[in-house]
Amino acid sequence: MQPWWAAAATASILVLGVHVIGGGREIARPLLDAPGLAKVPKFVSYYCWHLATISIALMGFCFASSAVTGSAELARLATVQSVLFTALSIAIIVGQRLSPWLYPQWAFFLVVAGIGLMGFR
């Protein structure tokens, strides 16, 4: 068992929980309940919400698989994914002049990326 990738898998699943439970209540539900939003942007956004859910779940699976097998390929993929998610979050926050504390995705994915990278030491 590779402990760093097992920890990254656990962190990914925790991020998934925050996304599904907290984000579902704070983001997805209000999106679906928004009365003035046209159907196409509403449901394309909702679809993207589910794509994020699947991506985070797959990230956890990739880390877990690498933790068990010791094979680095899926861990590398998941680590790159979390680095890119971190970069995207920061780019949007900076580009749109948003508060990083109101958009904490960057921090969640930064932690996952950092733990994943430790597995390559």
Side-chain angles (χ1 to χ4, degrees):
M1 177 73 67
Q2 211 287 0
W4 287 110
W5 294 333
T10 302
S12 298
I13 298 308
L14 290 173
V15 169
L16 179 63
V18 170
H19 171 77
V20 169
I21 296 167
R25 180 178 55 245
E26 297 293 321
I27 307 299
R29 180 53 35 206
L31 171 70
L32 291 175
D33 292 342
L37 192 57
K39 278 189 173 187
V40 171
K42 179 183 289 194
F43 289 104
V44 167
S45 297
Y46 190 54
Y47 174 75
C48 290
W49 172 265
H50 288 293
L51 289 177
T53 305
I54 292 166
S55 293
I56 299 166
L58 283 173
M59 184 186 307
F61 171 82
C62 288
F63 279 125
S65 177
S66 287
V68 171
T69 66
S71 177
E73 287 80 15
L74 290 177
R76 187 172 294 112
L77 173 68
T79 301
V80 168
Q81 180 182 8
S82 32
V83 166
L84 291 173
F85 284 0
T86 302
L88 175 62
S89 296
I90 292 170
I92 290 171
I93 288 167
V94 170
Q96 298 299 314
R97 295 189 168 113
L98 303 171
S99 168
W101 309 117
L102 296 177
Y103 301 89
Q105 299 86 338
W106 65 272
F108 295 145
F109 290 115
L110 182 62
V111 168
V112 173
I115 297 170
L117 284 169
M118 294 300 292
F120 292 99
R121 292 181 354 133

